[in-house]
Amino acid sequence: MTLDADVFFLPAAEGEQRLCLFHAPAGSPRSKLLYLHPFAEEMNKSRRMAALACRALAEAGHAVLQIDLRGCGDSSADFGAARWADWQDDVRLALAELDRRAPGEAPLWLWGLRAGALLAVGDWGRPVNHLFWQPMGSGKLALQQFLRLKLAAEMAGGASKGLMEQMKAELASGRSVEVAGYTLGAALASGLEAARLAPAGVPGRVEWMELGTREDATLTPAGEQAVKAWQDAGWTVRAQGVQGPSFWSTTEIELAPALIARTVEALA
């Protein structure tokens, strides 16, 4: 059975609103999930995969809420005006809405893709589990990868020398920079750079999935080290490599059906 998502605008602070999609299960939810999208253009590249995964999870009995963070997608404000703290507020806003639409004691999962995983970690004042898709270990790495997009675009013209240092200096001085069609504000850059994929709050479960091109895909060494840190902090972590493309960065929209199937199995 295919379940249609409820698309709506969620009122936010200062008269703004956030675009949300709620995927309701047919009966009482087995669990509740909040999906947190990746950074900048990676969000758009991942929309199809996220939509298919949300639908599959709803059909498997889970309640899923998606939110376009402030300045992203069809939500209020420009990307350049967003701050990391705004996005943390959006997580709290979305969790309250998820509770309203799926009341009860079903387990709560924060599901982050790439930099979305960095936003998912924190002490939310309640027990949470985590579903990580290709999580980034630090916001500093995410910021560097994003800035390199402009670096790559300038290389053909020979204007890339010193550009990375120049962009970092602009951000450090409180000014915005333009990267790949996005205006990156200094407040968002500093908040992202300070983010870490570190355990926080009451230990729960973590489903950690990384994609690879081989059928016997495994975690990266950095991923294995991060998983151990979560385990040492008392979290129950199940990590697995899954075959599939890096759909968040491919030129054409691509899918990783095995990742969706493994996710549904993991939360069963």
Side-chain angles (χ1 to χ4, degrees):
M1 179 177 63
T2 300
L3 304 172
D4 293 329
D6 181 14
V7 183
F8 63 98
F9 283 100
L10 181 62
E14 299 181 359
E16 294 185 353
Q17 54 190 10
R18 305 288 181 261
L19 178 69
C20 295
L21 289 85
F22 180 65
H23 306 258
S28 298
R30 302 172 64 176
S31 68
K32 301 184 286 189
L33 292 94
L34 173 60
Y35 169 72
L36 300 174
H37 61 70
F39 193 74
E41 190 60 22
E42 290 188 1
M43 177 192 75
N44 295 323
K45 294 284 189 180
S46 305
R47 276 203 185 275
R48 180 62 176 161
M49 263 295 293
L52 291 174
C54 288
R55 182 181 301 172
L57 286 165
E59 291 177 349
H62 307 277
V64 190
L65 180 66
Q66 297 175 260
I67 183 171
D68 283 2
L69 301 168
R70 185 172 191 258
C72 302
D74 292 313
S75 288
S76 298
D78 294 327
F79 186 84
R83 303 172 302 165
W84 189 255
D86 294 334
W87 290 359
Q88 291 173 319
D89 288 343
D90 285 348
V91 174
R92 297 183 184 93
L93 184 70
L95 286 175
E97 181 65 15
L98 182 56
D99 284 339
R100 189 183 72 80
R101 288 176 173 260
E105 300 301 321
L108 174 63
W109 292 78
L110 288 180
W111 165 22
L113 169 59
R114 299 276 288 159
L118 295 169
L119 188 61
V121 298
D123 188 351
W124 303 107
R126 59 196 293 186
V128 300
N129 303 306
H130 290 298
L131 170 60
F132 292 150
W133 276 11
Q134 204 72 25
M136 305 196 78
S138 71
K140 183 176 182 180
L141 174 61
L143 180 62
Q144 288 178 338
Q145 289 187 0
F146 183 65
L147 295 178
R148 286 191 190 118
L149 295 176
K150 184 166 185 175
L151 203 64
E154 297 290 338
M155 282 184 67
S160 63
K161 186 176 181 180
L163 182 58
M164 179 65 78
E165 290 73 19
Q166 178 185 337
M167 288 188 290
K168 289 182 177 180
E170 291 283 322
L171 292 169
S173 65
R175 293 188 290 270
S176 301
V177 297
E178 299 288 335
V179 180
Y182 289 84
T183 300
L184 176 63
L188 179 56
S190 62
L192 173 63
E193 188 172 30
R196 299 288 184 274
L197 194 71
V202 178
R205 285 179 56 193
V206 178
E207 293 291 341
W208 187 300
M209 302 185 185
E210 295 184 11
L211 286 169
T213 56
R214 296 164 53 109
E215 187 174 350
D216 58 346
T218 58
L219 265 62
T220 61
E224 292 178 349
Q225 185 176 1
V227 164
K228 185 178 185 304
W230 280 76
Q231 291 172 331
D232 290 344
W235 291 73
T236 301
V237 185
R238 178 166 54 179
Q240 54 183 312
V242 184
Q243 185 179 28
S246 303
F247 56 85
W248 57 88
S249 62
T250 53
T251 302
E252 302 295 331
I253 300 299
E254 293 197 39
L255 303 176
L259 181 60
I260 297 175
R262 293 279 190 93
T263 298
V264 172
E265 291 173 5
L267 268 64

